Amino acid sequence: MTADCLPVLFTNSCGTVVGVAHAGWRGLCARILENTVAELLNISGDVASNVMAWLGPTIGPDKFDVGQDVVSAFEDAGMSLPENAFQSIPNKKGKYLADIYLLAEARLEACGVKAIFDGEFCTVKDAARFFSYRRDGETGRFASAIWISK
């Protein structure tokens, strides 16, 4: 269940194992994606290059307004940041637009995941399809799901 945070759904190329991560900025800083991939590999005995990840709907890069504290959290976590992960907002000192898709893709690629899909939705812009706390100011969620079918 997510609202503006990023749901990430995982499977291996054989479809024998699945996983889900709720990756807001705090989860990304805490290495939730890397930990999920490691657990999938531990369970399956597979290699990271056989893992596939689907990036679900999240707040888009032109709507995710964050402060210096978020940028500092990523820097303090010792992560290599993609060049355009944080864009300064003109006339708003200490404010940035964060690209959570770009941050997630970088974390996945860093741990060896090569098959990364979607990452094109914005929960804030697409009110007809998605709930957004940042847009509406009301709590609510939507679900992303993955399962193994035999």
Side-chain angles (χ1 to χ4, degrees), residues 91-121:
N91 302 318
K92 284 190 171 183
K93 185 176 177 165
K95 290 292 191 175
Y96 302 85
L97 289 173
D99 188 335
I100 202 162
Y101 282 129
L102 188 59
L103 290 163
E105 289 167 5
R107 300 313 318 141
L108 290 166
E109 289 169 357
C111 65
V113 175
K114 304 207 181 316
I116 304 168
F117 301 94
D118 277 328
E120 300 293 324
F121 303 105

mmCIF file of all heavy atoms in Angstrom, residues 91-121:
data_model
loop_
_atom_site.group_PDB
_atom_site.id
_atom_site.type_symbol
_atom_site.label_atom_id
_atom_site.label_comp_id
_atom_site.label_asym_id
_atom_site.label_seq_id
_atom_site.Cartn_x
_atom_site.Cartn_y
_atom_site.Cartn_z
ATOM 1 N N ASN A 91 14.808 30.401 -6.731
ATOM 2 C CA ASN A 91 14.172 31.313 -5.781
ATOM 3 C C ASN A 91 13.637 30.621 -4.528
ATOM 4 O O ASN A 91 12.816 31.197 -3.809
ATOM 5 C CB ASN A 91 13.041 32.114 -6.453
ATOM 6 C CG ASN A 91 13.546 32.898 -7.640
ATOM 7 O OD1 ASN A 91 14.623 33.495 -7.591
ATOM 8 N ND2 ASN A 91 12.789 32.884 -8.722
ATOM 9 N N LYS A 92 14.060 29.366 -4.268
ATOM 10 C CA LYS A 92 13.678 28.659 -3.041
ATOM 11 C C LYS A 92 14.945 28.053 -2.443
ATOM 12 O O LYS A 92 15.280 26.907 -2.712
ATOM 13 C CB LYS A 92 12.655 27.559 -3.319
ATOM 14 C CG LYS A 92 11.261 28.041 -3.563
ATOM 15 C CD LYS A 92 10.317 26.844 -3.582
ATOM 16 C CE LYS A 92 8.873 27.282 -3.609
ATOM 17 N NZ LYS A 92 7.974 26.112 -3.561
ATOM 18 N N LYS A 93 15.632 28.859 -1.648
ATOM 19 C CA LYS A 93 16.901 28.420 -1.068
ATOM 20 C C LYS A 93 16.698 27.158 -0.222
ATOM 21 O O LYS A 93 15.792 27.084 0.605
ATOM 22 C CB LYS A 93 17.491 29.524 -0.209
ATOM 23 C CG LYS A 93 18.852 29.194 0.311
ATOM 24 C CD LYS A 93 19.464 30.333 1.074
ATOM 25 C CE LYS A 93 20.776 29.806 1.587
ATOM 26 N NZ LYS A 93 21.721 30.589 2.047
ATOM 27 N N GLY A 94 17.562 26.180 -0.460
ATOM 28 C CA GLY A 94 17.509 24.943 0.303
ATOM 29 C C GLY A 94 16.387 24.003 -0.097
ATOM 30 O O GLY A 94 16.106 23.033 0.599
ATOM 31 N N LYS A 95 15.738 24.272 -1.231
ATOM 32 C CA LYS A 95 14.651 23.411 -1.724
ATOM 33 C C LYS A 95 15.063 22.791 -3.054
ATOM 34 O O LYS A 95 15.703 23.437 -3.882
ATOM 35 C CB LYS A 95 13.351 24.207 -1.917
ATOM 36 C CG LYS A 95 12.718 24.642 -0.618
ATOM 37 C CD LYS A 95 12.211 23.429 0.131
ATOM 38 C CE LYS A 95 11.340 23.835 1.297
ATOM 39 N NZ LYS A 95 10.753 22.674 1.949
ATOM 40 N N TYR A 96 14.646 21.539 -3.228
ATOM 41 C CA TYR A 96 15.036 20.765 -4.411
ATOM 42 C C TYR A 96 13.852 19.955 -4.916
ATOM 43 O O TYR A 96 12.946 19.621 -4.158
ATOM 44 C CB TYR A 96 16.166 19.784 -4.065
ATOM 45 C CG TYR A 96 17.383 20.463 -3.519
ATOM 46 C CD1 TYR A 96 17.481 20.769 -2.164
ATOM 47 C CD2 TYR A 96 18.433 20.814 -4.360
ATOM 48 C CE1 TYR A 96 18.597 21.411 -1.657
ATOM 49 C CE2 TYR A 96 19.558 21.453 -3.854
ATOM 50 C CZ TYR A 96 19.630 21.748 -2.504
ATOM 51 O OH TYR A 96 20.732 22.389 -2.011
ATOM 52 N N LEU A 97 13.893 19.630 -6.196
ATOM 53 C CA LEU A 97 12.980 18.640 -6.763
ATOM 54 C C LEU A 97 13.760 17.339 -6.827
ATOM 55 O O LEU A 97 14.859 17.284 -7.380
ATOM 56 C CB LEU A 97 12.510 19.065 -8.157
ATOM 57 C CG LEU A 97 11.553 20.248 -8.175
ATOM 58 C CD1 LEU A 97 11.284 20.691 -9.605
ATOM 59 C CD2 LEU A 97 10.246 19.907 -7.468
ATOM 60 N N ALA A 98 13.201 16.299 -6.219
ATOM 61 C CA ALA A 98 13.861 15.001 -6.153
ATOM 62 C C ALA A 98 13.234 14.049 -7.161
ATOM 63 O O ALA A 98 12.010 13.995 -7.292
ATOM 64 C CB ALA A 98 13.744 14.424 -4.747
ATOM 65 N N ASP A 99 14.071 13.298 -7.833
ATOM 66 C CA ASP A 99 13.610 12.302 -8.797
ATOM 67 C C ASP A 99 13.740 10.917 -8.156
ATOM 68 O O ASP A 99 14.790 10.284 -8.207
ATOM 69 C CB ASP A 99 14.434 12.384 -10.080
ATOM 70 C CG ASP A 99 13.887 11.521 -11.199
ATOM 71 O OD1 ASP A 99 13.191 10.521 -10.912
ATOM 72 O OD2 ASP A 99 14.166 11.838 -12.372
ATOM 73 N N ILE A 100 12.666 10.475 -7.526
ATOM 74 C CA ILE A 100 12.693 9.205 -6.804
ATOM 75 C C ILE A 100 12.889 8.025 -7.755
ATOM 76 O O ILE A 100 13.513 7.025 -7.397
ATOM 77 C CB ILE A 100 11.444 9.059 -5.904
ATOM 78 C CG1 ILE A 100 11.734 8.054 -4.783
ATOM 79 C CG2 ILE A 100 10.217 8.684 -6.682
ATOM 80 C CD1 ILE A 100 10.770 8.155 -3.632
ATOM 81 N N TYR A 101 12.375 8.144 -8.976
ATOM 82 C CA TYR A 101 12.606 7.086 -9.967
ATOM 83 C C TYR A 101 14.094 6.961 -10.278
ATOM 84 O O TYR A 101 14.649 5.862 -10.312
ATOM 85 C CB TYR A 101 11.841 7.356 -11.263
ATOM 86 C CG TYR A 101 10.369 7.044 -11.216
ATOM 87 C CD1 TYR A 101 9.422 7.975 -11.620
ATOM 88 C CD2 TYR A 101 9.909 5.797 -10.812
ATOM 89 C CE1 TYR A 101 8.072 7.682 -11.609
ATOM 90 C CE2 TYR A 101 8.550 5.493 -10.794
ATOM 91 C CZ TYR A 101 7.636 6.435 -11.195
ATOM 92 O OH TYR A 101 6.307 6.135 -11.183
ATOM 93 N N LEU A 102 14.743 8.067 -10.512
ATOM 94 C CA LEU A 102 16.174 8.068 -10.828
ATOM 95 C C LEU A 102 16.987 7.524 -9.657
ATOM 96 O O LEU A 102 17.925 6.733 -9.843
ATOM 97 C CB LEU A 102 16.628 9.482 -11.202
ATOM 98 C CG LEU A 102 18.035 9.655 -11.741
ATOM 99 C CD1 LEU A 102 18.245 8.833 -13.003
ATOM 100 C CD2 LEU A 102 18.284 11.134 -12.028
ATOM 101 N N LEU A 103 16.629 7.924 -8.442
ATOM 102 C CA LEU A 103 17.321 7.423 -7.254
ATOM 103 C C LEU A 103 17.152 5.910 -7.119
ATOM 104 O O LEU A 103 18.114 5.192 -6.843
ATOM 105 C CB LEU A 103 16.801 8.128 -6.005
ATOM 106 C CG LEU A 103 17.192 9.599 -5.873
ATOM 107 C CD1 LEU A 103 16.305 10.309 -4.857
ATOM 108 C CD2 LEU A 103 18.660 9.732 -5.501
ATOM 109 N N ALA A 104 15.930 5.416 -7.343
ATOM 110 C CA ALA A 104 15.671 3.976 -7.239
ATOM 111 C C ALA A 104 16.419 3.203 -8.322
ATOM 112 O O ALA A 104 17.019 2.158 -8.048
ATOM 113 C CB ALA A 104 14.170 3.707 -7.329
ATOM 114 N N GLU A 105 16.374 3.704 -9.533
ATOM 115 C CA GLU A 105 17.085 3.031 -10.635
ATOM 116 C C GLU A 105 18.582 2.937 -10.338
ATOM 117 O O GLU A 105 19.198 1.892 -10.568
ATOM 118 C CB GLU A 105 16.856 3.780 -11.949
ATOM 119 C CG GLU A 105 15.448 3.635 -12.479
ATOM 120 C CD GLU A 105 15.118 4.619 -13.599
ATOM 121 O OE1 GLU A 105 16.011 5.372 -14.037
ATOM 122 O OE2 GLU A 105 13.952 4.632 -14.024
ATOM 123 N N ALA A 106 19.153 3.998 -9.805
ATOM 124 C CA ALA A 106 20.580 3.998 -9.481
ATOM 125 C C ALA A 106 20.890 2.963 -8.407
ATOM 126 O O ALA A 106 21.902 2.259 -8.486
ATOM 127 C CB ALA A 106 21.023 5.391 -9.030
ATOM 128 N N ARG A 107 20.029 2.852 -7.404
ATOM 129 C CA ARG A 107 20.255 1.875 -6.329
ATOM 130 C C ARG A 107 20.147 0.452 -6.869
ATOM 131 O O ARG A 107 20.930 -0.426 -6.504
ATOM 132 C CB ARG A 107 19.264 2.062 -5.179
ATOM 133 C CG ARG A 107 19.285 3.410 -4.491
ATOM 134 C CD ARG A 107 20.658 3.967 -4.113
ATOM 135 N NE ARG A 107 21.568 2.992 -3.566
ATOM 136 C CZ ARG A 107 22.889 2.942 -3.836
ATOM 137 N NH1 ARG A 107 23.445 3.815 -4.648
ATOM 138 N NH2 ARG A 107 23.645 2.014 -3.296
ATOM 139 N N LEU A 108 19.159 0.219 -7.735
ATOM 140 C CA LEU A 108 18.993 -1.117 -8.314
ATOM 141 C C LEU A 108 20.169 -1.488 -9.210
ATOM 142 O O LEU A 108 20.701 -2.602 -9.133
ATOM 143 C CB LEU A 108 17.673 -1.195 -9.087
ATOM 144 C CG LEU A 108 16.410 -1.162 -8.230
ATOM 145 C CD1 LEU A 108 15.188 -0.897 -9.093
ATOM 146 C CD2 LEU A 108 16.269 -2.456 -7.435
ATOM 147 N N GLU A 109 20.581 -0.561 -10.047
ATOM 148 C CA GLU A 109 21.716 -0.818 -10.937
ATOM 149 C C GLU A 109 22.990 -1.067 -10.141
ATOM 150 O O GLU A 109 23.799 -1.924 -10.505
ATOM 151 C CB GLU A 109 21.900 0.348 -11.908
ATOM 152 C CG GLU A 109 20.801 0.420 -12.948
ATOM 153 C CD GLU A 109 20.793 1.711 -13.757
ATOM 154 O OE1 GLU A 109 21.623 2.619 -13.477
ATOM 155 O OE2 GLU A 109 19.951 1.823 -14.667
ATOM 156 N N ALA A 110 23.153 -0.344 -9.023
ATOM 157 C CA ALA A 110 24.351 -0.507 -8.197
ATOM 158 C C ALA A 110 24.443 -1.908 -7.588
ATOM 159 O O ALA A 110 25.546 -2.385 -7.311
ATOM 160 C CB ALA A 110 24.379 0.546 -7.089
ATOM 161 N N CYS A 111 23.306 -2.555 -7.398
ATOM 162 C CA CYS A 111 23.369 -3.920 -6.838
ATOM 163 C C CYS A 111 23.212 -4.986 -7.914
ATOM 164 O O CYS A 111 23.025 -6.160 -7.603
ATOM 165 C CB CYS A 111 22.391 -4.096 -5.684
ATOM 166 S SG CYS A 111 20.662 -3.970 -6.050
ATOM 167 N N GLY A 112 23.282 -4.591 -9.179
ATOM 168 C CA GLY A 112 23.343 -5.561 -10.263
ATOM 169 C C GLY A 112 22.058 -5.855 -11.000
ATOM 170 O O GLY A 112 22.041 -6.680 -11.909
ATOM 171 N N VAL A 113 20.955 -5.177 -10.647
ATOM 172 C CA VAL A 113 19.690 -5.388 -11.354
ATOM 173 C C VAL A 113 19.747 -4.613 -12.669
ATOM 174 O O VAL A 113 20.029 -3.419 -12.682
ATOM 175 C CB VAL A 113 18.481 -4.932 -10.503
ATOM 176 C CG1 VAL A 113 17.183 -5.048 -11.294
ATOM 177 C CG2 VAL A 113 18.410 -5.742 -9.214
ATOM 178 N N LYS A 114 19.488 -5.312 -13.757
ATOM 179 C CA LYS A 114 19.578 -4.684 -15.082
ATOM 180 C C LYS A 114 18.206 -4.473 -15.727
ATOM 181 O O LYS A 114 18.032 -3.577 -16.526
ATOM 182 C CB LYS A 114 20.452 -5.528 -15.987
ATOM 183 C CG LYS A 114 21.830 -5.766 -15.389
ATOM 184 C CD LYS A 114 22.872 -5.986 -16.422
ATOM 185 C CE LYS A 114 24.238 -6.243 -15.855
ATOM 186 N NZ LYS A 114 24.697 -5.445 -14.788
ATOM 187 N N ALA A 115 17.242 -5.314 -15.385
ATOM 188 C CA ALA A 115 15.901 -5.236 -15.987
ATOM 189 C C ALA A 115 14.989 -4.417 -15.070
ATOM 190 O O ALA A 115 14.439 -4.923 -14.098
ATOM 191 C CB ALA A 115 15.335 -6.636 -16.201
ATOM 192 N N ILE A 116 14.863 -3.135 -15.385
ATOM 193 C CA ILE A 116 14.054 -2.199 -14.591
ATOM 194 C C ILE A 116 12.987 -1.629 -15.515
ATOM 195 O O ILE A 116 13.300 -1.094 -16.577
ATOM 196 C CB ILE A 116 14.929 -1.076 -14.002
ATOM 197 C CG1 ILE A 116 16.069 -1.679 -13.175
ATOM 198 C CG2 ILE A 116 14.079 -0.126 -13.165
ATOM 199 C CD1 ILE A 116 17.147 -0.684 -12.800
ATOM 200 N N PHE A 117 11.732 -1.744 -15.107
ATOM 201 C CA PHE A 117 10.618 -1.381 -15.974
ATOM 202 C C PHE A 117 9.761 -0.275 -15.376
ATOM 203 O O PHE A 117 9.660 -0.127 -14.172
ATOM 204 C CB PHE A 117 9.742 -2.608 -16.239
ATOM 205 C CG PHE A 117 10.500 -3.727 -16.883
ATOM 206 C CD1 PHE A 117 11.065 -4.735 -16.121
ATOM 207 C CD2 PHE A 117 10.700 -3.746 -18.262
ATOM 208 C CE1 PHE A 117 11.786 -5.760 -16.714
ATOM 209 C CE2 PHE A 117 11.422 -4.761 -18.865
ATOM 210 C CZ PHE A 117 11.965 -5.775 -18.083
ATOM 211 N N ASP A 118 9.094 0.440 -16.255
ATOM 212 C CA ASP A 118 8.165 1.538 -15.978
ATOM 213 C C ASP A 118 8.863 2.709 -15.321
ATOM 214 O O ASP A 118 9.931 3.090 -15.738
ATOM 215 C CB ASP A 118 6.928 1.072 -15.223
ATOM 216 C CG ASP A 118 5.893 0.486 -16.180
ATOM 217 O OD1 ASP A 118 5.820 0.943 -17.331
ATOM 218 O OD2 ASP A 118 5.173 -0.430 -15.784
ATOM 219 N N GLY A 119 8.252 3.325 -14.314
ATOM 220 C CA GLY A 119 8.822 4.534 -13.756
ATOM 221 C C GLY A 119 8.367 5.767 -14.513
ATOM 222 O O GLY A 119 9.084 6.743 -14.616
ATOM 223 N N GLU A 120 7.150 5.707 -15.028
ATOM 224 C CA GLU A 120 6.642 6.793 -15.868
ATOM 225 C C GLU A 120 5.419 7.498 -15.285
ATOM 226 O O GLU A 120 4.876 8.384 -15.907
ATOM 227 C CB GLU A 120 6.269 6.238 -17.247
ATOM 228 C CG GLU A 120 7.426 5.603 -17.984
ATOM 229 C CD GLU A 120 8.499 6.599 -18.376
ATOM 230 O OE1 GLU A 120 8.166 7.744 -18.724
ATOM 231 O OE2 GLU A 120 9.692 6.232 -18.308
ATOM 232 N N PHE A 121 4.976 7.071 -14.103
ATOM 233 C CA PHE A 121 3.737 7.616 -13.555
ATOM 234 C C PHE A 121 4.023 8.725 -12.544
ATOM 235 O O PHE A 121 5.070 8.742 -11.923
ATOM 236 C CB PHE A 121 2.949 6.517 -12.840
ATOM 237 C CG PHE A 121 2.625 5.338 -13.704
ATOM 238 C CD1 PHE A 121 3.306 4.144 -13.558
ATOM 239 C CD2 PHE A 121 1.630 5.417 -14.667
ATOM 240 C CE1 PHE A 121 3.014 3.048 -14.343
ATOM 241 C CE2 PHE A 121 1.327 4.327 -15.463
ATOM 242 C CZ PHE A 121 2.023 3.146 -15.300
#
